[in-house]
Amino acid sequence: MSGSGGGGSGGGPGYSSPCDTLRFDSQLSSPQAPVVATLRPGDVLLVAVVQMKGHVVVQVLSHGQPAGGLTGPEATQLRNCIDGGHNYTATVLQVNGGQVRVRVEHA
């Protein structure tokens, strides 16, 4: 007899994977000045995994234009979750000159 084992993406009512609950605040890396100039607190941006110069990176997009990237341990987990079919948004918390702080969470 084979058992059902653990893991997988199933689960009963109330089940949530780490990807469902992934949420963190971060500063955008390599902010793009023309896009950043249009951002306001409360704006909801798209988070996407893209190929850039031969590397896979996590980018935050405003109306399809890159506002900046996300780096660090959370970005690695985020990339894995996006690759697994999850979608995320980044809500602008603060814009201070060219620096942008966002809250990333499951869409």
Side-chain angles (χ1 to χ4, degrees), residues 5-94:
S9 60
Y15 172 82
S16 65
S17 77
C19 291
D20 292 329
T21 58
L22 179 61
R23 177 180 170 165
F24 61 94
D25 293 357
S26 182
Q27 186 124 339
L28 292 185
S29 62
S30 302
Q32 301 300 304
V35 177
V36 168
T38 69
L39 299 179
R40 301 290 176 261
D43 287 352
V44 179
L45 312 176
L46 177 69
V47 178
V49 174
V50 298
Q51 285 276 349
M52 200 170 163
K53 297 180 184 176
H55 298 282
V56 177
V57 297
V58 180
Q59 272 194 340
V60 176
L61 306 171
S62 175
H63 303 288
Q65 299 299 312
L70 295 170
T71 59
E74 293 100 347
T76 301
Q77 183 181 1
L78 180 63
R79 187 181 76 206
N80 293 335
C81 290
I82 291 171
D83 287 344
H86 293 266
N87 296 307
Y88 293 86
T89 59
T91 302
V92 176
L93 300 175
Q94 182 180 34

